Amino acid sequence: MDGTDEVLDAVGPRLRALRKHRGLTLAELSAATGISESTLSRLESGGRRPTLELLLPLARVHGVPLDDLVGAPRTGDPRIHLRPIHRHGMTFLPLTRRAGGVQAFKMLIPSRDAPAEPTPQTHGGYEWVYVLNGRLRLVVGDRDMVLPPGEAAEFDTALPHWLGSADGHAVETLVLFGPQGERAHVRAR
């Protein structure tokens, strides 16, 4: 079975769940779409393969994008291809895609049984970190601090630094990174 078969096999249960969630009978859905009750029943049970001609009126009547019926992933901005980067036990989701300049990432630090021991590293650049969820432990040079949600820090990555969970729980952050040492410009009100 290839990926197409798996996607098509999942359409029937989605259609049934959507119809039931909206409190519609097969007869009501048939009247609204012009698709026979028997065809709708076979679509929902997997006895009939969905086609574009059948899915378009169903998406219109249910008021959902066609992608929702087939379970297609959300793509967002087509110029940004979010491919997670896994480094040092963390996941980085690129939020920008441009050559040079400041780059934006969502950084996820997974939970662990116990907080990790800092292993500071250095590299060129400048970093700005904002904590969304969890408690981030940040070691920069001889400073060791814990940032709760809503706090931010910025530092030169030429200094030995390390980021991790302060308590072993997962942490979510937004990171701006200037590979050439560019800094984020903050404007006061």
Side-chain angles (χ1 to χ4, degrees):
M1 178 183 278
D2 69 9
T4 302
D5 289 337
E6 290 172 17
V7 168
L8 293 177
D9 288 345
V11 170
R14 270 192 200 89
L15 290 172
R16 178 177 286 123
L18 192 55
R19 178 178 60 81
K20 295 211 179 247
H21 176 74
R22 297 196 64 223
L24 295 173
T25 65
L26 284 173
E28 291 168 329
L29 190 55
S30 174
T33 61
I35 300 169
S36 74
E37 285 182 57
S38 64
T39 298
L40 290 171
S41 177
R42 289 185 320 194
L43 274 173
E44 288 183 2
S45 68
R48 170 132 187 203
R49 290 303 233 190
T51 63
L52 195 56
E53 291 78 19
L54 295 171
L55 292 177
L56 286 173
L58 287 167
R60 181 183 42 78
V61 167
H62 288 309
V64 298
L66 185 61
D67 286 353
D68 285 0
L69 294 183
V70 296
R74 299 256 184 234
T75 57
D77 187 333
R79 297 167 296 171
I80 299 172
H81 304 286
L82 298 178
R83 293 198 178 136
I85 301 163
H86 304 282
R87 286 197 186 126
H88 310 294
M90 297 180 271
T91 301
F92 297 85
L93 297 167
L95 301 176
T96 56
R97 183 72 50 136
R98 67 176 204 196
V102 176
Q103 302 292 311
F105 298 89
K106 182 173 185 179
M107 181 178 74
L108 306 168
I109 301 170
S111 61
R112 301 171 50 119
D113 291 335
E117 283 301 312
T119 52
Q121 306 288 319
T122 62
H123 54 85
Y126 199 85
E127 198 161 305
W128 183 86
V129 180
Y130 178 82
V131 181
L132 295 168
N133 290 302
R135 293 170 36 87
L136 177 72
R137 181 177 178 196
L138 174 62
V139 176
V140 178
D142 60 355
R143 296 194 62 200
D144 191 337
M145 59 197 108
V146 174
L147 292 99
E151 287 198 14
E154 60 180 326
F155 55 93
D156 186 333
T157 57
L159 293 170
H161 64 281
W162 177 87
L163 297 93
S165 172
D167 52 17
H169 296 299
V171 179
E172 265 183 285
T173 69
L174 290 178
V175 175
L176 295 178
F177 175 69
Q180 309 303 318
E182 301 93 335
R183 296 179 70 165
H185 298 281
V186 180
R187 286 184 128 162
R189 290 181 214 203

